[in-house]
Amino acid sequence: MRLVLFPYFREIFETIKKDKPLIHHITNYVTVNDCANTVLALGGSPVMADDLAEVEEMVSLASALVMNVGTLNQRTIEAFVLAGKKANALGTPVVLDPVGVGATALRTQTVQRILEEVQLSVLRGNMSEIKSIYGQGGKTRGVDSIDDSLMGGREIALELAKRLNCVVVITGATDIVSDGEQVFYIENGHEMLSRVTGTGCMTTSLIGLCVGTKKNPFHAAIMGTAVMGLAGEKAYEALPHKEEVGTFRVKLMDAIGSFSITLMEESVKIHEA
């Protein structure tokens, strides 16, 4: 099955390099620079715009919209809905990262409002966040997952994708991706990814870039997720001293910038669940 996916991955990657899709982010200020650089490193063009006066105009220029609720305020909440509705009207893919949903009432209510008013192409979160949305009450501490169990993950991804009519990505030690019909596991990555702030946000941006090619969002979500896992492995291999978190962060961006389809064909670990 993995071999069947490679032509789709190649087409997505070649489209990124050729078209440099513009990815409109309404994202959090903790990781905004890393998200922008991640999109640039793989070959896309990021723009960060969240003011109500311009989000509709900006999303009209974009190939995809990435929404990340990591640092909420009342202005950005309205920007999410305004931009999301405009993207839907234009047929522009929308990717949501529900950071910390379930941790506070504001986050939970905001994500619920977005899900009610905006049609997503992809929802990406950790296990706690996805369980919270699904209705199982995932355990969240701040914006971090404290529930990384795969128990029930396949069924949750499958059923939530059907319910929301979008691709669902659950990232963790093993990533789970479903379009409501199929479920794939991705087993690339390294523990060091959990020691750098924002790798989940960066994964969402990579998914947004791949979805911005307007190819199949299921294939695009798998590819964007796998790119981060593979980059994490390559970054760790390149460390001169294995506990250097700061150096790992730099090597991670280098690995995304030097990513190739050949690397993916040789090293990706994807299988149907």
Side-chain angles (χ1 to χ4, degrees):
M1 184 60 69
R2 188 183 76 172
L3 294 174
V4 174
L5 296 173
F6 285 148
Y8 302 119
F9 296 154
R10 183 175 294 277
E11 186 179 14
I12 291 167
F13 188 62
E14 290 176 350
T15 301
I16 290 171
K17 295 301 185 182
K18 177 171 63 75
D19 295 344
K20 301 187 184 304
L22 179 68
I23 310 304
H24 178 191
H25 288 70
I26 303 176
T27 190
N28 79 73
Y29 53 70
V30 176
T31 63
V32 60
N33 187 62
D34 287 330
C35 290
N37 281 326
T38 297
V39 169
L40 278 170
L42 195 61
S45 179
V47 62
M48 277 54 186
D50 62 11
D51 194 275
L52 289 171
E54 71 167 354
V55 291
E56 289 182 296
E57 185 178 2
M58 189 62 77
V59 83
S60 299
L61 304 172
S63 297
L65 171 65
V66 172
M67 303 192 298
N68 178 309
V69 305
T71 49
L72 282 178
N73 60 60
Q74 293 302 320
R75 176 178 57 82
T76 56
I77 290 171
E78 297 305 318
F80 288 137
V81 175
L82 196 62
K85 287 182 174 180
K86 183 66 173 181
N88 285 170
L90 295 169
T92 300
V94 180
V95 181
L96 175 64
D97 190 332
V99 178
V101 63
T104 68
L106 179 63
R107 289 174 185 273
T108 302
Q109 291 163 6
T110 297
V111 169
Q112 186 59 43
R113 181 181 173 191
I114 292 170
L115 294 177
E116 289 173 355
E117 300 189 38
V118 178
Q119 176 58 53
L120 303 182
S121 297
V122 182
L123 171 69
R124 188 222 66 88
N126 60 41
M127 186 66 79
S128 292
E129 292 159 351
I130 298 301
K131 280 187 173 181
S132 178
I133 293 170
Y134 183 75
Q136 285 196 0
K139 301 175 182 178
T140 305
R141 179 185 58 222
V143 299
D144 295 324
S145 174
I146 54 175
D147 184 357
D148 289 325
S149 170
L150 276 174
M151 185 68 67
R154 178 189 181 279
E155 290 71 23
I156 289 170
L158 190 66
E159 292 303 317
L160 191 57
K162 289 178 183 177
R163 185 195 306 174
L164 299 178
N165 190 30
C166 73
V167 177
V168 170
V169 180
I170 308 176
T171 50
T174 296
D175 304 314
I176 307 171
V177 186
S178 178
D179 63 353
E181 296 181 1
Q182 307 171 83
V183 181
F184 278 83
Y185 290 157
I186 307 169
E187 297 182 330
N188 294 99
H190 194 275
E191 182 273 335
M192 284 285 281
L193 287 167
S194 66
R195 297 177 63 189
V196 177
T197 299
T199 53
C201 300
M202 288 186 270
T203 302
T204 302
S205 292
L206 288 172
I207 291 171
L209 175 56
C210 293
V211 170
T213 63
K214 306 299 174 65
K215 308 301 180 184
N216 184 304
F218 183 49
H219 300 150
I222 293 171
M223 178 167 177
T225 305
V227 169
M228 179 56 75
L230 287 164
E233 292 175 359
K234 291 301 176 184
Y236 185 74
E237 289 172 8
L239 285 182
H241 304 287
K242 297 307 183 183
E243 295 301 315
E244 295 177 335
V245 176
T247 305
F248 176 80
R249 182 174 176 275
V250 174
K251 296 294 185 183
L252 180 64
M253 199 63 68
D254 290 343
I256 295 169
S258 62
F259 175 83
S260 69
I261 288 297
T262 299
L263 169 65
M264 194 166 200
E265 291 174 345
E266 292 175 348
S267 304
V268 75
K269 301 172 186 173
I270 299 174
H271 62 92
E272 194 164 9

